[in-house]
Amino acid sequence: MKVGIDGRGAKWYRGTGIGTYTYQLISSLNDLDKINEYLLFMPQTSITDIPFNRNFNIRNITEGGSGNFWDEVNIPNILMDKDIELYHVPQNGVGLPKEKKCPFVITLHDIIPIKMPETVGETYLRIFNHEMPDIVSRCDGIITVSQFSKEDICKYYNFPKEKVFVTHLAAENIYRPLDSDECYNLVQTQYGIYGEYILYVGGFSPRKNIIGLIEAFSKFKNKYKHDVKLVIAGKQGKSYEIYKKRSIDLGVENSVIFPGFIPIEHMPYVYNACKVLVYPSFYEGFGLPPVEAMACGVPVITSNVTSIPEVVGDSAIFINPYDVDELSEAIYTVFNDDKLREKLVIKGIIRSSELSWRKTAKDTLIAYNKIINS
């Protein structure tokens, strides 16, 4: 089997869900598969820390230089190698060539732009509305990251269920329990965060429910009466000013910290040093931060909707993301119930260990074979 993979997301979007997925899929296929041949389409300055086997070849492509990820990946690859038996585009199919010389498979992570269009950027929304129906129609198979997303995709695009393959994601190997003192020291020196803190990690999209989190934190803080911070980590997009203003209006601005985008090498320390991860998203195709936190031995409070219960199993406290009081009470409970915390930590480590990138790669290979032989 000779497989072509668009690997641009691994370089351009590293540190986000799609970038992490692309990088880990390529790395895990390289570890797992010494038989099949792979042709990776990569930017000139591509992945350098993966020791590729002989069955992996890289074809460099020119970078567009626009500075916008979705513009960059929308440069269609030209498949010159007629021997490729399957071509895979991991970033929701964006950049899929118009000319088809072999079977196509895309990883469509979710259809959030269709379900919650008000929560995504204009460029991404335009691509989904104008290009995705055509992209899906040219696919011989679709890989997605949860059973929930599969149901969404099949229903909306009327795509055959037998041609949609679920490959769950996983925490990277760097996420594991670490020495507490070392973690606290890094968090203090690098980000000026002292004492206990609640952590949110992820995007600043309205669907992430950060307003609800800030409101729940305010209620919790009034009841808890001890010094505790809320750390909202992630690249500060358009919504940042809204979130900052809400914390000011509630009088908790000195306790709500926005450290910005945290590099991946610091994330295990930031997770390990927190008291609890709170991830109250309204909608997820998968949702990696809860899995990463569980792998670090951190209790998780998260939403009881969309794909999240499927992903975390019974290893978290579930809340209705539309109920601020319920979220506030859940945070208070975690801070005051040591036995519950211990139970969540153990369950979380077990659940996160059941998800691995090696399994993701194995399931992907099964999907490749079924698509080629269908």
Side-chain angles (χ1 to χ4, degrees), residues 84-97:
I84 288 179
E85 297 177 73
L86 182 78
Y87 185 58
H88 182 191
V89 176
Q91 63 273 352
N92 292 329
V94 179
L96 195 71

Side-chain angles (χ1 to χ4, degrees), residues 30-300:
N30 180 65
D31 289 340
L32 179 69
D33 188 0
K34 306 295 191 296
I35 299 171
N36 297 298
E37 292 184 58
Y38 294 88
L39 181 61
L40 307 180
F41 292 83
M42 300 293 298
Q44 294 290 342
T45 52
S46 58
I47 301 172
T48 58
D49 60 343
I50 297 177
F52 284 113
N53 299 315
R54 291 181 179 180
N55 57 325
F56 278 74
N57 295 291
I58 297 175
R59 178 163 293 165
N60 291 127
I61 54 173
T62 304
E63 298 187 43
S66 74
N68 182 294
F69 174 73
W70 294 113
D71 288 340
E72 296 280 15
V73 297
N74 208 26
I75 306 167
N77 280 321
I78 301 172
L79 293 178
M80 304 298 290
D81 194 324
K82 295 180 181 179
D83 293 331
I84 288 179
E85 297 177 73
L86 182 78
Y87 185 58
H88 182 191
V89 176
Q91 63 273 352
N92 292 329
V94 179
L96 195 71
K98 299 290 185 184
E99 186 177 355
K100 186 171 181 179
K101 295 185 177 181
C102 65
F104 285 164
V105 59
I106 66 171
T107 300
L108 184 53
H109 296 254
D110 53 62
I111 58 167
I112 288 168
I114 304 299
K115 306 288 274 192
M116 301 185 76
E118 72 282 1
T119 69
V120 301
E122 293 179 7
T123 301
Y124 191 28
L125 181 60
R126 186 175 66 252
I127 288 172
F128 244 83
N129 286 337
H130 294 275
E131 299 184 32
M132 198 56 66
D134 178 59
I135 289 171
V136 169
S137 71
R138 285 185 282 127
C139 288
D140 298 273
I142 293 174
I143 293 170
T144 192
V145 295
S146 65
Q147 194 65 38
F148 175 84
S149 281
K150 175 176 178 173
E151 296 297 325
D152 261 1
I153 291 164
C154 293
K155 183 177 180 181
Y156 185 81
Y157 290 109
N158 195 28
F159 201 84
K161 285 191 175 183
E162 66 271 15
K163 293 185 177 182
V164 181
F165 305 90
V166 175
T167 64
H168 286 133
L169 309 184
E172 298 185 76
N173 291 336
I174 59 172
Y175 296 108
R176 61 188 188 278
L178 299 173
D179 178 74
S180 297
D181 290 339
E182 187 179 353
C183 295
Y184 295 140
N185 288 338
L186 183 136
V187 168
Q188 291 170 7
T189 56
Q190 293 289 330
Y191 303 101
I193 301 170
Y194 294 85
E196 293 183 328
Y197 66 90
I198 300 158
L199 179 65
Y200 163 82
V201 175
F204 273 43
S205 165
R207 76 176 167 87
K208 297 294 188 176
N209 193 23
I210 294 174
I211 286 287
L213 173 57
I214 294 170
E215 291 173 348
F217 173 70
S218 175
K219 289 176 176 287
F220 159 76
K221 195 167 173 57
N222 287 336
K223 184 176 181 180
Y224 187 59
K225 303 299 183 183
H226 298 287
D227 182 36
V228 62
K229 303 291 193 302
L230 170 61
V231 176
I232 301 175
K235 186 178 180 181
Q236 296 172 4
K238 295 178 183 178
S239 303
Y240 164 71
E241 293 298 335
I242 297 173
Y243 303 147
K244 186 67 178 176
K245 183 178 184 301
R246 189 65 183 133
S247 68
I248 293 171
D249 291 344
L250 292 170
V252 292
E253 69 272 20
N254 292 328
S255 298
V256 180
I257 301 170
F258 296 89
F261 180 81
I262 295 176
I264 191 169
E265 60 267 21
H266 287 176
M267 280 308 307
Y269 299 89
V270 175
Y271 276 126
N272 270 271
C274 78
K275 190 81 171 179
V276 60
L277 175 87
V278 181
Y279 198 74
S281 177
F282 292 127
Y283 194 104
E284 292 292 329
F286 187 85
L288 264 176
V291 179
E292 293 169 346
M294 290 190 300
C296 291
V298 173
V300 171

Side-chain angles (χ1 to χ4, degrees), residues 280-339:
S281 177
F282 292 127
Y283 194 104
E284 292 292 329
F286 187 85
L288 264 176
V291 179
E292 293 169 346
M294 290 190 300
C296 291
V298 173
V300 171
I301 298 171
T302 189
S303 303
N304 62 359
V305 297
T306 66
S307 67
I308 300 174
E310 172 188 343
V311 171
V312 304
D314 65 349
S315 305
I317 293 180
F318 291 109
I319 51 91
N320 176 358
Y322 298 93
D323 190 331
V324 170
D325 290 330
E326 186 178 336
L327 176 53
S328 176
E329 282 300 315
I331 297 170
Y332 186 82
T333 300
V334 169
F335 268 75
N336 286 278
D337 190 335
D338 291 338
K339 288 186 177 179

